[in-house]
Amino acid sequence: MTADRMMAAIAFLFFAGFLGVIVVSVAHPMLIVVALIGIALAAYDFGTQLFKRRSARR
């Protein structure tokens, strides 16, 4: 795993942790839904960028 992918994984974990703290402290059902949607979108983007095929550089 390259350094940029590791940094992206760490950033995703911090983002999920940040939203987790907000959800736990406020605990409103709609906030939980919005936070889960945000985490799901970020996870999808992270996954698509992580497994994207890179063209050979010359």
Side-chain angles (χ1 to χ4, degrees), residues 25-54:
S25 64
V26 175
H28 192 275
M30 289 307 293
L31 179 63
I32 294 170
V33 170
V34 170
L36 288 176
I37 290 171
I39 290 172
L41 288 172
Y44 174 76
D45 184 53
F46 177 70
T48 57
Q49 294 299 315
L50 181 65
F51 297 113
K52 186 166 111 174
R53 294 181 187 233
R54 296 183 184 193

Side-chain angles (χ1 to χ4, degrees), residues 2-13:
T2 61
D4 57 338
R5 290 181 179 182
M6 289 194 54
M7 291 299 291
I10 291 169
F12 175 73
L13 291 175

Side-chain angles (χ1 to χ4, degrees), residues 15-29:
F15 176 68
F18 173 73
L19 288 181
V21 168
I22 292 174
V23 165
V24 168
S25 64
V26 175
H28 192 275

